[in-house]
Amino acid sequence: MPPSETKASAERSFELERIVFFSDAVYAIALTLLAIELRVPELAQEDTAGLYRALLAEWPRFLAFALSFWIIALFWIAHHRYFRYIKRYDYRLITLNFLILFFIALIPFTSSVLGEYGDSAGGIWLYAVNMLLLGLSDAWLWRHAATRHHLVDAALAPDLIRALELRTLTTPLAALVVLTLSFLIGGLASFGWFSILIFRRVLERRDSTNF
Amino acid sequence: MPPSETKASAERSFELERIVFFSDAVYAIALTLLAIELRVPELAQEDTAGLYRALLAEWPRFLAFALSFWIIALFWIAHHRYFRYIKRYDYRLITLNFLILFFIALIPFTSSVLGEYGDSAGGIWLYAVNMLLLGLSDAWLWRHAATRHHLVDAALAPDLIRALELRTLTTPLAALVVLTLSFLIGGLASFGWFSILIFRRVLERRDSTNF
Amino acid sequence: MPPSETKASAERSFELERIVFFSDAVYAIALTLLAIELRVPELAQEDTAGLYRALLAEWPRFLAFALSFWIIALFWIAHHRYFRYIKRYDYRLITLNFLILFFIALIPFTSSVLGEYGDSAGGIWLYAVNMLLLGLSDAWLWRHAATRHHLVDAALAPDLIRALELRTLTTPLAALVVLTLSFLIGGLASFGWFSILIFRRVLERRDSTNF
Amino acid sequence: MPPSETKASAERSFELERIVFFSDAVYAIALTLLAIELRVPELAQEDTAGLYRALLAEWPRFLAFALSFWIIALFWIAHHRYFRYIKRYDYRLITLNFLILFFIALIPFTSSVLGEYGDSAGGIWLYAVNMLLLGLSDAWLWRHAATRHHLVDAALAPDLIRALELRTLTTPLAALVVLTLSFLIGGLASFGWFSILIFRRVLERRDSTNF
């Protein structure tokens, strides 16, 4: 039994807070670095019309930026939710958390590949696989923490645990939708990401813990 | 009623703190990334005079950097002010907060477009629209939190709430000033941002909550 | 005796927390900046096969990214462990902590040199030396903090202190392994980093504080 | 009297903590972005000797990186010291703090100008002026906070306040030394920064608050 367990208490331990704030920093940096991919157009001569034409020509990059921003936001919200209930930590929790952060840190790269090559299946797949693995890491972390109330509050309702477990599958499911669509509609498959919103809506119907 | 409400208390909950610190990280990163746009001049041969000439030639980028730095600072101060009074959170607050962060994360991009094309209406508009939407998101968040004391301290004085509500409009107003000026004086319109200081001064006259 | 010592107490002082969170920010930024080195391939014409060929051709950069990510993670975990027990700080602790952060901040650079020139001994050495000095700084900080319980809890078990002291040597040892291997097997020497896992496993056998 | 004053108390208010952590994030990001300036050399053919020659040719950039890292570290330590004693905040403190952060955010830029043009007076001056203004902002903030114990603990010893006031002048002084030297010894003037260490040593002799 790791010594950390002995620190479990109503108000959360400093060590656990530190893990959480460290993760937040990684989420925040990944979120903000996304915008670096947006390039300032280089124009032969400066005129408003030309600038707008150049900016509009960048729409795939903007789309990739906006999509990735909101997906990272959803993952942060999930992370925020898990750690509301996690009261203890062990070495494996930290490792699984770093696994999540690994795929978060990759998003600025896979997102810019999507922005560049989003109309070919290749760019879509790389991005979707990144999200798939990220979502599965999330699921793994929650399963590790919640199973038999290993690291969560003993009083946590089993059906809330199941509800959160179910939620962890929304992004992987959406990733599969996108991967499938990419065979049928190619570049348009990226719009499959909106299925996340549908999945979430359905789940929110199912359970009352709408946050 | 979200479970979070049950956490409302004099000293703010860890979850609320986490939302705030996460936002701070995004503000801080956006703030510091602004400087990345400042380019080290490349000189044929190294001489002080030439270096200074090259640096002076960058003045529009410096102006854009300084302007954006202080505008982000004002938005951070506003955010700081709101969350002094916000004692609870719900799912919508988090979403609106991410909407704010979305437009904050865009600033390094729109700011460098301004630095590059600030003398054409195009660059000015993109930047002003970014600030307009950012300011409206701020207003939306505060309205959501403060209306009928939904998420703020029940004891919070209604006229203080109105005062802060009024403040949320300073940047959108300034953005409109800049947009209007851009038709009249083109590139010089950027100086319209100083109207923020005027609006704030006026509002500080009106109410005593000067912070 | 620095005034800070007077602040020692069960719940850690705000000043100490600030040192820790500041360090976390540096770790988190270094971790996320690693991915900036991953370049979006530029293709003559867009086709999935070509994109994958181009991405696969980047494998040394991916390897360097993944390796550095997990090494930084291990160093963060070590830092996390030390500061679980450090209850006071003095000027030297802060200086040694900055020495650690100095070598952390260098990793994105040495890591991209490794990604670029990992098949020549040169790239491997630069990276290994970075890790060697980082590991020694870690050891120095812990020795300063723990010797005669200078800054740690007086009740901290001496054999736990020794166990952590021993752990600080895993990365320097691995660095030496890699440096040696580089003479024998050249570019493949980078796989010597996996020896960290072996060393850690051995140490975890030795002592029970597996976190 | 700002409402914040009413929050003054032994354990510092959440709002004040937030100002401090926000500043830390900016310091940490500036610190880590410095390394971005270190460029991976591009070699015609890969050989260790060539790589080392290329890396050695970068020594001015390494010097600028190391110098700026430690100067930022010193400024962070000073900031850490001030806020150990600052117990309240007002609008002006926040503004002065942002003034400090403004010059901190500029360092990655002026530092890379120094790395590029450190052998011409131009690069040295830009950097020295940045540090001069940063140091003066520090002095201004501390003077505002400490004069007549405006924002610091009423029990804070006047000679400690004076001692810290004196310390705020070390970097501006060093900047003046460097500026003067630049006329006499050109590029070597950068070594004048080491005078900081001398000034600090002298001051530490003078007062006992060695942290």
Side-chain angles (χ1 to χ4, degrees):
Chain A
M1 164 168 132
S4 58
E5 302 239 359
T6 66
K7 308 191 100 67
S9 63
E11 96 291 347
R12 53 192 58 235
S13 72
F14 174 74
E15 282 79 28
L16 191 51
E17 271 196 26
R18 190 179 165 185
I19 294 166
V20 167
F21 285 131
F22 176 78
S23 313
D24 283 355
V26 175
Y27 280 93
I29 299 155
L31 209 58
T32 324
L33 283 182
L34 288 172
I36 278 189
E37 277 316 304
L38 302 175
R39 308 236 182 80
V40 179
E42 279 162 17
L43 303 176
Q45 91 274 34
E46 291 193 21
D47 64 303
T48 298
L51 178 60
Y52 283 151
R53 241 180 283 101
L55 288 172
L56 284 176
E58 278 213 59
W59 71 265
R61 284 206 198 85
F62 285 111
L63 209 73
F65 165 73
L67 178 65
S68 302
F69 182 97
W70 288 104
I71 288 183
I72 293 179
L74 289 176
F75 274 106
W76 183 83
I77 291 171
H79 197 268
H80 185 270
R81 207 186 290 110
Y82 304 147
F83 280 85
R84 254 184 71 196
Y85 301 115
I86 293 174
K87 299 290 179 203
R88 291 177 295 280
Y89 71 94
D90 58 10
Y91 186 69
R92 165 154 293 180
L93 182 80
I94 291 178
T95 315
L96 290 174
N97 193 49
F98 268 113
L99 190 65
I100 292 174
L101 298 182
F102 180 79
F103 292 116
I104 290 286
L106 268 174
I107 291 178
F109 169 67
T110 53
S111 172
S112 46
V113 172
L114 181 69
E116 216 60 58
Y117 301 108
D119 41 9
S120 83
I124 291 170
W125 291 343
L126 187 71
Y127 189 79
V129 168
N130 186 353
M131 296 308 171
L132 182 68
L133 295 173
L134 174 52
L136 293 176
S137 314
D138 252 25
W140 193 0
L141 179 133
W142 180 244
R143 177 170 284 281
H144 169 66
T147 311
R148 289 188 309 285
H149 294 74
H150 176 41
L151 300 175
V152 297
D153 195 332
L156 190 60
D159 55 356
L160 176 56
I161 291 178
R162 267 192 306 281
L164 291 186
E165 215 160 67
L166 221 59
R167 271 159 181 272
T168 59
L169 301 175
T170 50
T171 326
L173 269 174
L176 294 175
V177 168
V178 170
L179 284 167
T180 322
L181 286 175
S182 69
F183 292 106
L184 311 171
I185 55 176
L188 296 169
S190 288
F191 293 97
W193 289 111
F194 288 106
S195 58
I196 292 178
L197 302 176
I198 300 160
F199 293 141
R200 291 176 58 86
R201 182 57 49 89
V202 172
L203 288 171
E204 274 154 23
R205 281 270 159 60
R206 263 187 85 282
D207 57 66
S208 63
T209 63
N210 83 318
F211 192 72
Chain B
M1 163 167 131
S4 58
E5 303 238 1
T6 67
K7 306 190 102 69
S9 62
E11 96 291 344
R12 52 193 57 235
S13 73
F14 173 75
E15 283 78 29
L16 191 51
E17 269 195 27
R18 189 178 166 186
I19 294 167
V20 168
F21 285 131
F22 177 78
S23 313
D24 283 354
V26 175
Y27 280 93
I29 298 154
L31 209 56
T32 324
L33 282 182
L34 288 172
I36 278 191
E37 278 316 304
L38 302 175
R39 309 235 183 83
V40 179
E42 279 163 17
L43 302 177
Q45 91 274 36
E46 291 193 22
D47 64 304
T48 299
L51 178 60
Y52 284 151
R53 243 181 280 98
L55 288 172
L56 285 176
E58 279 213 58
W59 71 265
R61 285 205 199 87
F62 286 110
L63 209 73
F65 165 73
L67 179 65
S68 303
F69 182 96
W70 288 105
I71 288 184
I72 293 179
L74 289 176
F75 274 106
W76 183 83
I77 290 171
H79 197 269
H80 185 270
R81 207 185 289 109
Y82 304 147
F83 280 85
R84 255 184 70 195
Y85 301 113
I86 293 174
K87 300 290 179 204
R88 291 176 296 279
Y89 71 95
D90 58 10
Y91 187 70
R92 163 153 295 180
L93 182 80
I94 291 178
T95 315
L96 291 174
N97 193 50
F98 268 113
L99 190 65
I100 293 173
L101 299 181
F102 180 79
F103 293 116
I104 291 286
L106 268 174
I107 292 178
F109 169 68
T110 52
S111 172
S112 46
V113 172
L114 181 68
E116 215 60 58
Y117 301 107
D119 41 8
S120 83
I124 290 169
W125 291 344
L126 186 73
Y127 189 79
V129 168
N130 186 352
M131 295 308 171
L132 183 68
L133 296 173
L134 174 52
L136 293 176
S137 314
D138 252 25
W140 194 359
L141 179 133
W142 180 244
R143 178 170 284 280
H144 168 67
T147 311
R148 288 188 310 285
H149 294 73
H150 176 41
L151 300 174
V152 298
D153 195 333
L156 190 59
D159 54 356
L160 175 56
I161 290 177
R162 267 193 305 281
L164 291 185
E165 214 160 67
L166 221 58
R167 271 159 182 272
T168 59
L169 301 175
T170 50
T171 326
L173 269 174
L176 294 175
V177 169
V178 170
L179 284 167
T180 322
L181 286 175
S182 69
F183 293 105
L184 311 171
I185 55 176
L188 296 170
S190 288
F191 293 97
W193 289 111
F194 288 106
S195 59
I196 292 179
L197 302 176
I198 300 161
F199 293 141
R200 290 176 59 85
R201 182 58 47 91
V202 173
L203 288 172
E204 273 153 26
R205 281 270 159 60
R206 263 186 85 284
D207 58 64
S208 62
T209 63
N210 83 319
F211 192 72
Chain C
M1 162 169 133
S4 59
E5 301 238 1
T6 67
K7 306 190 101 68
S9 63
E11 94 293 344
R12 53 191 57 236
S13 73
F14 174 75
E15 283 79 27
L16 191 52
E17 271 196 26
R18 189 178 166 186
I19 294 166
V20 167
F21 285 132
F22 177 77
S23 313
D24 283 356
V26 175
Y27 280 93
I29 299 154
L31 209 58
T32 324
L33 282 182
L34 288 172
I36 279 190
E37 277 315 304
L38 303 174
R39 308 235 183 82
V40 179
E42 280 163 16
L43 303 177
Q45 90 275 34
E46 291 192 22
D47 64 303
T48 298
L51 178 59
Y52 284 151
R53 242 181 282 101
L55 288 172
L56 284 176
E58 279 212 58
W59 72 264
R61 285 206 198 86
F62 285 110
L63 210 72
F65 165 73
L67 178 65
S68 303
F69 182 97
W70 288 104
I71 288 183
I72 293 179
L74 289 177
F75 274 107
W76 183 84
I77 291 172
H79 197 269
H80 186 271
R81 208 186 288 110
Y82 305 148
F83 281 85
R84 253 183 72 194
Y85 301 114
I86 293 174
K87 299 289 180 205
R88 293 176 294 279
Y89 70 96
D90 57 11
Y91 186 69
R92 165 153 292 180
L93 183 79
I94 291 180
T95 315
L96 291 174
N97 193 48
F98 268 113
L99 189 65
I100 292 173
L101 298 181
F102 180 78
F103 292 116
I104 291 287
L106 268 174
I107 291 178
F109 169 67
T110 53
S111 172
S112 46
V113 172
L114 181 69
E116 217 58 59
Y117 301 108
D119 40 9
S120 83
I124 291 170
W125 291 344
L126 186 72
Y127 189 78
V129 168
N130 186 352
M131 295 308 170
L132 183 68
L133 295 173
L134 174 52
L136 293 176
S137 313
D138 252 25
W140 193 0
L141 179 133
W142 180 245
R143 178 170 283 281
H144 168 66
T147 310
R148 290 188 308 283
H149 294 75
H150 176 42
L151 301 175
V152 296
D153 194 333
L156 190 60
D159 55 356
L160 175 56
I161 291 179
R162 267 193 305 281
L164 291 185
E165 215 160 68
L166 220 59
R167 271 160 181 272
T168 58
L169 301 175
T170 50
T171 325
L173 269 174
L176 294 175
V177 168
V178 170
L179 284 167
T180 322
L181 286 175
S182 69
F183 293 105
L184 310 170
I185 55 176
L188 296 169
S190 287
F191 293 97
W193 289 111
F194 288 105
S195 59
I196 292 178
L197 302 176
I198 300 160
F199 293 142
R200 290 176 57 86
R201 181 58 47 90
V202 173
L203 289 172
E204 274 154 24
R205 282 272 157 60
R206 264 187 83 283
D207 56 65
S208 63
T209 63
N210 85 318
F211 193 72
Chain D
M1 164 169 131
S4 58
E5 303 237 2
T6 67
K7 306 189 104 65
S9 62
E11 94 292 343
R12 54 192 55 238
S13 72
F14 173 75
E15 284 77 29
L16 191 52
E17 270 195 27
R18 189 180 166 185
I19 295 166
V20 167
F21 285 132
F22 176 77
S23 313
D24 283 356
V26 175
Y27 279 93
I29 298 154
L31 209 58
T32 324
L33 282 182
L34 288 172
I36 279 191
E37 278 316 305
L38 303 175
R39 309 236 182 83
V40 179
E42 279 164 16
L43 303 177
Q45 90 275 33
E46 291 193 21
D47 64 304
T48 299
L51 179 60
Y52 284 151
R53 244 181 279 99
L55 288 172
L56 285 176
E58 278 213 58
W59 72 265
R61 285 206 199 86
F62 285 110
L63 210 72
F65 164 74
L67 179 65
S68 303
F69 182 96
W70 287 105
I71 288 183
I72 293 179
L74 289 176
F75 274 106
W76 182 83
I77 290 171
H79 197 269
H80 185 271
R81 208 186 288 108
Y82 304 148
F83 280 86
R84 254 183 71 194
Y85 301 114
I86 293 174
K87 299 289 181 204
R88 292 176 295 280
Y89 70 96
D90 58 11
Y91 187 70
R92 163 153 294 180
L93 182 80
I94 291 179
T95 315
L96 291 174
N97 193 49
F98 268 112
L99 190 65
I100 292 173
L101 298 181
F102 180 78
F103 293 116
I104 290 286
L106 268 174
I107 292 177
F109 169 68
T110 53
S111 172
S112 45
V113 172
L114 181 69
E116 216 59 58
Y117 300 108
D119 41 8
S120 82
I124 290 170
W125 291 344
L126 186 73
Y127 189 79
V129 168
N130 186 352
M131 294 308 170
L132 183 68
L133 295 173
L134 174 53
L136 294 176
S137 314
D138 252 25
W140 193 0
L141 179 132
W142 180 244
R143 177 170 284 281
H144 168 67
T147 311
R148 289 189 308 285
H149 294 74
H150 176 41
L151 300 175
V152 297
D153 195 333
L156 190 60
D159 55 356
L160 175 55
I161 291 179
R162 268 193 304 281
L164 290 186
E165 215 160 67
L166 220 59
R167 272 159 181 273
T168 59
L169 300 176
T170 51
T171 325
L173 269 174
L176 294 176
V177 168
V178 170
L179 285 167
T180 323
L181 286 175
S182 69
F183 292 105
L184 310 171
I185 55 176
L188 295 168
S190 288
F191 292 97
W193 288 111
F194 288 106
S195 59
I196 293 179
L197 302 176
I198 299 161
F199 293 142
R200 290 176 59 84
R201 182 58 48 89
V202 172
L203 288 172
E204 273 154 25
R205 281 271 156 60
R206 262 188 85 283
D207 56 65
S208 63
T209 63
N210 84 319
F211 195 74

